[in-house]
């Protein structure tokens, strides 16, 4: 009995060091911040001062630091690290013990016991492949998280561009609405005095109502954009955001774009994540191949029978691979590797195709924007001359109204092309990974006074 107790002592000591369970209840309230926090970027620090408004880079930094989805995604790093640790842990040895007490056998007999210590040697064969697969899987999580950060930066930039450009459109609509409203009042007064027909007044009123409708639609879109931006930044819906600065990103020349395009497999995080996933699957296949060899268990035994004869022994158990040679797991691993290979090839092809298409679109939109911008000054000059002629009574109101509406639409067209150009540049930056310095290294976030630090 003393020998059995001594053998069981290491097991009891090991159990004493086991982890314990503590419940962690789910939250019952949102964790959205009620104020814009202070953020310190990771690398290449960019001034972050919410007091003077947030520029495009500050919005991107805050998005990376406080986006709720990114906070959740970063937890995957802990899961991957735990899986890597688990893959490297050696299997435990197995301890067996037994006791037999003789009865009715007469004097001279003693209690029999047996002790055995076994170890699965086969697990050591596949351990290196399991660790390598888990290490590659951990790198995949890191690259996938970085790609998610790039996506968040792109969304932040696009929402910033949309808010700034929509504000320009709003000012243009309001200016044109006020002009039409003033002209409608004058025209209505002139009609009451018998100096203007109902047709001119009706045309002015119809144009005024149309502009008011477009302005109302724009205000609804601005409200949605504001809520989307606050949600992306992890802020409560009622937190006001003051944006400042321009929205244009550094231009990419054709030479730089082509150079970045050639480097895509070595710089795009989603492609690097797929590469790491493929490497992990390679190791999984190697592990499946190694696992086809017979499982081997070796052990030592110590025993005593009831006649007080003591023995020491050595045991080996070997699985005979007659029916199952792990061919099923090997086939699945090979098919999965092929699937990941094709998935990577498709993503690589899509990346090159989208980048090339976007470069052509940017060149086209830039040319169209220049043409529209060049047409504005002559049109503005004509409208100014027409306005003077109208005031002198040398032009019909319908003709002037048509010219002024053309100028208004041309300005809106220029703003639409400008927004499209900025948005396409932001998307191209993400596709090529051209300008993310200081944006995706982990920023440190410090809540504003009165906010709890998370």
């Amino acid at each position: 009995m003393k020998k059995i107790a001594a053998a069981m002592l290491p097991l009891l000591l090991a159990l004493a060091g086991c982890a314990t369970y503590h419940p962690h209840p789910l939250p019952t309230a949102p964790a959205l911040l009620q104020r814009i926090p202070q953020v310190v970027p990771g690398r290449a620090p960019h001034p972050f001062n919410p007091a003077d408004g947030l520029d495009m880079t500050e919005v991107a930094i805050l998005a990376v630091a406080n986006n709720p989805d990114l906070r959740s995604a970063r937890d995957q790093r802990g899961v991957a690290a735990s899986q890597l640790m688990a893959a490297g842990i050696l299997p435990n040895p197995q301890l067996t013990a037994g006791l037999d007490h003789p009865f009715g056998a007469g004097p001279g007999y003693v209690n029999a016991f047996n002790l055995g210590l076994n170890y699965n040697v086969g697990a050591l064969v596949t351990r290196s492949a399991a660790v390598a697969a888990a290490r590659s899987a951990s790198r995949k999580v890191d690259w996938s998280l970085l790609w998610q950060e790039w996506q968040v930066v792109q969304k932040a930039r696009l929402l910033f561009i949309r808010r700034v450009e929509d504000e320009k459109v709003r000012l243009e609509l309001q200016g044109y609405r006020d002009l039409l409203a003033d002209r409608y009042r004058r025209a209505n007064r002139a009609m009451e005095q018998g100096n203007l027909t109902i047709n001119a007044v009706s045309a002015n009123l119809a144009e005024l109502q149309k502009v008011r409708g477009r302005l109302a639609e724009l205000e609804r879109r601005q409200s949605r954009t504001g809520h989307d931006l606050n949600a992306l930044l992890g802020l409560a819906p009622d937190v006001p955001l003051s944006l400042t600065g321009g929205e244009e990103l550094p231009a990419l020349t054709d030479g730089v774009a082509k150079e970045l395009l050639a480097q895509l497999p070595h710089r795009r995080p989603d492609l690097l994540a797929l590469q790491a996933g493929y490497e992990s699957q390679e190791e999984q296949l190697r592990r499946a191949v190694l696992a086809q060899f017979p499982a081997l268990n070796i052990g030592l035994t110590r025993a005593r029978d009831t006649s007080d004869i003591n023995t020491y022994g050595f045991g080996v158990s070997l699985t005979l691979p007659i029916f199952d040679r792990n061919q099923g797991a090997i086939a699945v691993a090979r098919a999965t590797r092929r699937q990941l290979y094709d998935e990577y090839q498709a993503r690589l092809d899509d990346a090159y195709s989208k980048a090339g298409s976007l470069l052509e679109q940017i060149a086209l939109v830039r040319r169209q924007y220049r043409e529209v911008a060049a047409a504005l000054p002559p049109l503005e000059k004509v409208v100014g001359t027409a306005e003077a002629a109208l005031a002198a009574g040398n032009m019909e109101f319908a003709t002037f109204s048509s010219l002024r509406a053309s100028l208004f639409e041309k300005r809106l067209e220029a703003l639409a092309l400008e927004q499209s150009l900025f948005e396409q540049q932001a998307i191209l930056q993400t596709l090529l990974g051209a300008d993310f310095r200081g944006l995706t290294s982990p920023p440190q976030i410090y809540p504003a006074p009165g906010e709890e630090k998370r």
Side-chain angles (χ1 to χ4, degrees):
M1 291 294 293
K2 292 182 179 180
K3 292 182 179 180
I4 296 179
M8 297 294 290
L9 181 61
L11 177 62
L12 296 175
L13 292 176
L15 291 175
C18 291
T20 58
Y21 166 77
H22 299 284
H24 189 64
L26 291 172
T28 58
L32 298 173
L33 297 181
Q34 299 297 324
R35 301 179 186 177
I36 300 176
Q38 294 294 330
V39 178
V40 178
R43 296 191 302 268
H46 180 86
F48 190 92
N49 184 16
D52 61 0
L54 299 178
D55 61 22
M56 181 185 284
T57 302
E58 288 174 311
V59 168
I61 291 173
L62 180 56
V64 172
N66 199 49
N67 179 260
D69 291 334
L70 283 183
R71 290 202 305 269
S72 175
R74 290 187 180 108
D75 293 337
Q76 296 177 9
R77 282 180 167 173
V79 175
S82 301
Q83 291 173 340
L84 177 58
M85 178 187 68
I89 296 176
L90 293 172
N92 291 320
Q94 294 179 342
L95 177 66
T96 60
L99 176 67
D100 291 326
H101 178 70
F103 63 93
Y109 289 93
V110 298
N111 290 331
F113 70 87
N114 62 82
L115 295 173
L117 186 63
N118 300 303
Y119 194 77
N120 180 12
V121 180
L124 301 178
V125 177
T126 60
R127 179 179 178 274
S128 63
V131 171
R135 187 176 293 113
S136 295
S138 179
R139 289 201 307 271
K140 178 184 178 182
V141 170
D142 290 338
W143 287 122
S144 296
L145 175 60
L146 183 59
W147 180 242
Q148 285 182 261
E149 290 178 349
W150 283 27
Q151 298 298 304
V152 168
V153 169
Q154 175 182 296
K155 290 179 181 178
R157 286 172 168 174
L158 292 176
L159 289 172
F160 182 96
I161 291 169
R162 192 173 303 163
R163 274 199 55 174
V164 171
E165 291 299 313
D166 280 349
E167 182 62 20
K168 294 179 183 179
V169 174
R170 187 184 68 83
L171 293 175
E172 186 68 30
L173 285 170
Q174 283 184 340
Y176 191 46
R177 179 203 60 186
D178 295 343
L179 176 64
L180 290 175
D182 180 64
R183 292 198 177 278
Y184 171 69
R185 286 191 296 268
R186 294 184 182 183
N188 197 40
R189 228 176 8 248
M191 183 187 67
E192 292 175 351
Q193 296 171 358
N195 298 326
L196 201 62
T197 65
I198 186 65
N199 292 335
V201 178
S202 299
N204 204 334
L205 179 59
E207 185 67 18
L208 175 60
Q209 295 301 330
K210 185 168 69 172
V211 171
R212 284 175 174 171
R214 293 171 71 173
L215 185 58
E217 181 182 354
L218 175 65
E219 290 174 346
R220 290 192 295 271
R221 187 168 75 237
Q222 284 183 300
S223 177
R224 290 194 299 268
T225 302
H227 284 293
D228 290 344
L229 184 56
N230 277 37
L232 186 72
L233 301 181
L235 302 175
D238 56 347
V239 175
L241 274 180
S242 175
L243 304 184
T244 184
E247 65 270 36
E248 186 171 9
L249 292 165
L252 291 174
T253 63
D254 291 341
V256 172
K258 290 180 180 179
E259 181 180 351
L260 294 175
L261 192 60
Q263 299 172 0
L264 275 187
H266 310 292
R267 65 182 299 113
R268 272 269 296 265
D270 61 327
L271 295 175
L272 292 170
L274 290 175
Q275 292 173 21
Y278 186 79
E279 292 171 3
S280 177
Q281 186 57 34
E282 286 275 18
E283 294 299 332
Q284 293 287 6
L285 176 57
R286 186 168 74 92
R287 182 184 183 185
V289 171
L290 292 173
Q292 71 181 319
F293 294 100
L296 177 64
N297 282 273
I298 60 175
L300 300 174
T301 59
R302 167 76 170 88
R304 183 183 68 186
D305 62 14
T306 55
S307 59
D308 201 18
I309 297 177
N310 292 270
T311 59
Y312 294 94
F314 174 82
V316 176
S317 65
L318 184 68
T319 301
L320 299 179
I322 298 177
F323 304 108
D324 183 5
R325 297 181 300 279
N326 211 37
Q327 61 268 38
I330 294 173
V332 170
R334 281 179 174 160
T336 304
R337 182 181 66 173
R338 182 64 199 184
Q339 176 188 354
L340 294 178
Y341 180 94
D342 293 336
E343 181 180 351
Y344 176 78
Q345 185 66 64
R347 181 72 64 86
L348 185 61
D349 294 345
D350 181 70
Y352 275 89
S353 177
K354 285 184 177 178
S357 174
L358 202 54
L359 285 170
E360 292 183 5
Q361 293 177 34
I362 289 175
L364 175 62
V365 173
R366 185 179 287 118
R367 177 177 60 80
Q368 292 175 344
Y369 176 74
R370 289 171 180 169
E371 292 175 355
V372 172
L376 278 174
L379 186 55
E380 290 172 348
K381 183 177 180 180
V382 169
V383 170
T385 303
E387 189 171 12
L390 179 67
N394 298 325
M395 177 177 284
E396 294 183 359
F397 181 81
T399 304
F400 171 77
S401 179
S402 177
L403 284 173
R404 187 60 183 82
S406 297
L407 176 60
F408 169 70
E409 294 295 342
K410 187 61 69 173
R411 286 176 176 172
L412 291 186
E413 182 183 356
L415 290 175
L417 288 171
E418 182 181 71
Q419 178 177 342
S420 177
L421 182 60
F422 289 153
E423 289 178 347
Q424 289 176 347
Q425 287 176 344
I427 296 173
L428 183 63
Q429 294 280 345
T430 305
L431 287 177
L432 299 181
D435 186 32
F436 285 84
R437 296 183 299 274
L439 294 181
T440 54
S441 54
Q444 297 296 319
I445 181 169
Y446 299 93
E451 300 285 350
E452 292 184 0
K453 184 177 180 181
R454 291 201 296 266

